[in-house]
Amino acid sequence: MQNQVIDRRVEEILSGMTVEDKVGQLFIVRRPQDDGVAMDALRRYRLGGFTLYACDFENRTPESVRALLASYREAATVAPFIAADEEGGRVVRASKYPQFRALPFPAPRDLFAAGGYAAVESDTREKAAFLLDLGLQTLPVRMKQHCENAQKVA
């Protein structure tokens, strides 16, 4: 039953999209440095979303990032998927800046060496909460929201 509801909702969304909308949704690109250019790209190319890197967080606060991402969602025809590569260790984008987190997330391999799988799992949950709080959605959260929305329509 739930799959049928989801399938109907997907068809409903797709039937309301132009070919340009559908093609644009295939692309999740590097966020342009200029906020105006980023907003224009979302509208003009109907992008599937942006990937954010360290420079996108460097001169911002958590509040300004939330506001920026909210403005992207408001401007887009289809809510964009906005991601950041925040693995820990050498791969930290937001947590490396003290305005976002006191200490950067550690490398998963270091966590595993010190505390096994439980330490990695705990860190992953903390990292997910950190990213969600900034307005970045993880794929499981996005899928859950789509399913809930589809159930409301049914």
Side-chain angles (χ1 to χ4, degrees):
M1 171 79 175
Q2 186 175 2
N3 286 341
Q4 292 171 339
V5 171
I6 293 169
D7 289 346
R8 276 197 315 262
R9 180 67 178 134
V10 168
E11 287 301 319
E12 180 182 304
I13 291 169
L14 289 174
S15 68
M17 295 173 75
T18 66
V19 171
E20 291 83 0
D21 291 332
K22 292 173 185 175
V23 171
Q25 287 296 297
L26 296 173
F27 296 93
I28 297 176
V29 301
R30 163 77 187 93
R31 189 191 81 82
Q33 291 299 294
D34 180 273
D35 293 340
V37 171
M39 192 71 75
D40 183 58
L42 272 178
R43 289 182 182 130
R44 182 182 304 187
Y45 303 114
R46 301 166 179 103
L47 296 173
F50 290 134
T51 301
L52 280 60
Y53 292 91
C55 60
D56 298 309
F57 297 97
E58 185 174 12
N59 296 312
R60 298 186 188 272
T61 64
E63 295 78 20
S64 69
V65 168
R66 285 184 206 102
L68 179 67
L69 302 186
S71 72
Y72 291 159
R73 289 186 178 94
E74 290 172 16
T77 306
V78 176
F81 184 78
I82 304 173
D85 192 10
E86 186 76 37
E87 297 171 23
R90 292 185 305 186
V91 184
V92 289
R93 308 304 181 202
S95 72
K96 72 188 282 181
Y97 299 109
Q99 67 268 33
F100 289 92
R101 193 163 190 275
L103 294 171
F105 284 104
R109 72 172 170 269
D110 296 339
L111 289 166
F112 186 79
Y117 179 77
V120 175
E121 182 180 16
S122 175
D123 177 74
T124 300
R125 290 182 187 281
E126 182 180 351
K127 205 176 299 166
F130 169 79
L131 295 171
L132 289 168
D133 183 59
L134 291 175
L136 297 158
Q137 291 183 311
T138 63
L139 188 55
V141 169
R142 189 166 170 89
M143 292 308 296
K144 181 177 183 275
Q145 289 173 342
H146 283 302
C147 292
E148 288 170 354
N149 289 340
Q151 287 175 335
K152 289 176 189 174
V153 171

